[in-house]
Amino acid sequence: MTNDEAPAGTLDGRVALVAGATRGAGRAIAVELARAGAFVYATGRSSRTAGRSEIDRPETIEETGDLIVAAGGSGTALRVDHLDSDQVADLVRRVDRDHGRLDLLVNDIFGGDRYAQFGTTLWEHDLAGGLRILRMGIDTHAITSHHALPLLIRRPGGLVVEMTDGTAEYNAAYRHHEGFYYDLVKAAVQRMTLAQSYELAPHRATAVAVTPGWLRSEHMLEAFGVTEDNWRDATADVPHFCISESPAYVARAVTALAADPDVARWSGKVVSSGQLAPLYGFTDTDGTRPDCWRYLAEVQSRGLPADDTGYR
């Protein structure tokens, strides 16, 4: 067991669907939930047999399934396009047929940054690409929740986790560096969380939005020319990268929420991995507790030198 993994059996008997689990946070969440005892359905589009999705990266959903097994967990990895309503409906019917229940839905589908033209105005941004961002970041979540929530509310205690980028405070201002389409997606996810929390409450179910900080995804590591083993080398050129976090960190946040009998206290809210770590007692894989969003407000935005004091 590595540092602060959830004890085996924490989520025994639970059934989880992690939509968008091919790479990054989604993959790590699927693995950590399975490690904690949940049976996990992990879905994505990139496949060993069907080829890459439009994101055109090498990671496959089958690899996520292999990692679930390697972690000692149980689950199944399936190729599903969450923009295809029929495919999602078939997926939920399979979950119902196999288990008769769904305890946790994690909506982590996106990949729209593939089309993002950061730093452009609404009228300068490629329109087709911008609309595709909205489809991938909003429609996928709505389609998946539409089909999955009737199964989730069959038993009290269900949890929906909407994965987003940025806290409510950070996203209150227009994210002009990312632009209109990206900003709209992240604002919409927050609103979808609030709406689902309201509609799920009579069924004693909860919806929470969770954001990682500066995530060391596969793509991010490649962009910096480092690996997870030597990622600190990148801080020589980008000192603020010191506050980055592994995908396992936010995965442990989601696992802690899933295991919390009082998770309803977070319903409708946006919470971050750095915010939850000291409350639930978990750390990142290296034993630190980075708090990216606090760091952005208290250090980077004020032009202070990058250091670890109070943040890791």
Side-chain angles (χ1 to χ4, degrees), residues 20-179:
T22 307
R23 59 186 64 84
R27 169 176 282 186
I29 291 167
V31 172
E32 289 298 316
L33 291 173
R35 193 194 313 277
F39 187 95
V40 178
Y41 288 85
T43 64
R45 290 183 299 160
S46 295
S47 166
R48 287 173 184 158
T49 57
R52 299 183 180 188
S53 73
E54 66 202 84
I55 298 170
D56 195 27
R57 286 200 53 83
E59 301 85 19
T60 67
I61 194 60
E62 291 88 354
E63 289 172 356
T64 301
D66 293 341
L67 291 171
I68 286 173
V69 173
S74 299
T76 186
L78 301 169
R79 185 181 183 277
V80 176
D81 182 349
H82 285 263
L83 277 174
D84 188 322
S85 179
D86 290 340
Q87 289 188 34
V88 178
D90 287 343
L91 167 66
V92 173
R93 280 193 288 267
R94 175 171 177 167
V95 177
D96 190 9
R97 182 176 66 250
D98 293 348
H99 296 276
R101 64 187 293 166
L102 179 64
D103 302 285
L104 171 61
L105 169 63
V106 180
N107 274 327
D108 186 52
I109 323 104
F110 186 43
D113 44 1
R114 155 79 170 75
Y115 297 97
Q117 297 174 332
F118 294 142
T120 63
T121 61
L122 168 60
W123 57 92
E124 294 169 329
H125 198 291
D126 173 67
L127 180 59
L131 296 178
R132 185 65 177 173
I133 291 172
L134 301 185
R135 286 275 285 154
M136 296 175 74
I138 297 175
D139 290 13
T140 53
H141 290 229
I143 290 168
T144 305
S145 285
H146 170 82
H147 289 293
L149 292 187
L151 180 55
L152 184 133
I153 64 174
R154 192 177 293 174
R155 296 167 179 264
L159 173 63
V160 175
V161 173
E162 290 283 350
M163 297 302 296
T164 188
D165 175 30
T167 62
E169 294 77 15
Y170 186 85
N171 288 341
Y174 174 54
R175 297 180 63 163
H176 61 282
H177 294 296
E178 286 82 13

Side-chain angles (χ1 to χ4, degrees), residues 241-260:
F241 197 54
C242 69
I243 204 60
S244 66
E245 62 192 60
S246 78
Y249 193 47
V250 74
R252 290 171 177 178
V254 172
T255 303
L257 289 171
D260 183 0

